[in-house]
Amino acid sequence: MKCPKCGREMAHGVLGGRGLKFFLRDGECYPKLMSNRILAKKHAVMLPPDEYDSWTLDGWPIAHWCENCKFLIADYSHLMKDSFA
């Protein structure tokens, strides 16, 4: 996928985290333990946590990261429920 800001190729992976939010590139295995040091070894891009740390749905958003612009695109469509009733 091309970055909509600069046109360069974006890295493909998933948006994930357990307390820590990060982008993990394809080819890196998901860490069993979470620490800044372990995530740095896996070349993860750290992201700010949400206010309530409320990741309750199964799976993680598919994401693309532009190293040049520091721009993240995350697709939540497969995680959204069809109805909120």
Side-chain angles (χ1 to χ4, degrees):
M1 171 181 243
K2 300 286 184 185
C3 175
K5 288 187 168 187
C6 70
R8 293 183 184 182
E9 195 64 31
M10 298 177 81
H12 180 272
V14 295
L15 178 64
R18 278 182 255 151
L20 299 169
K21 304 295 182 275
F22 57 89
F23 172 78
L24 189 64
R25 288 173 173 81
D26 283 349
E28 294 287 350
C29 61
Y30 202 87
K32 291 182 172 82
L33 298 172
M34 296 288 171
S35 74
N36 287 336
R37 193 189 73 184
I38 290 170
L39 292 171
K41 284 184 179 180
K42 295 186 171 293
H43 308 287
V45 177
M46 301 304 298
L47 302 168
D50 68 355
E51 184 177 354
Y52 302 105
D53 198 29
S54 57
W55 291 91
T56 57
L57 298 172
D58 291 333
W60 295 98
I62 297 165
H64 293 86
W65 174 254
C66 179
E67 188 67 38
N68 184 56
C69 297
K70 309 299 186 229
F71 186 72
L72 176 76
I73 297 174
D75 181 1
Y76 287 77
S77 63
H78 67 289
L79 299 174
M80 300 300 290
K81 295 180 181 184
D82 292 333
S83 171
F84 294 100

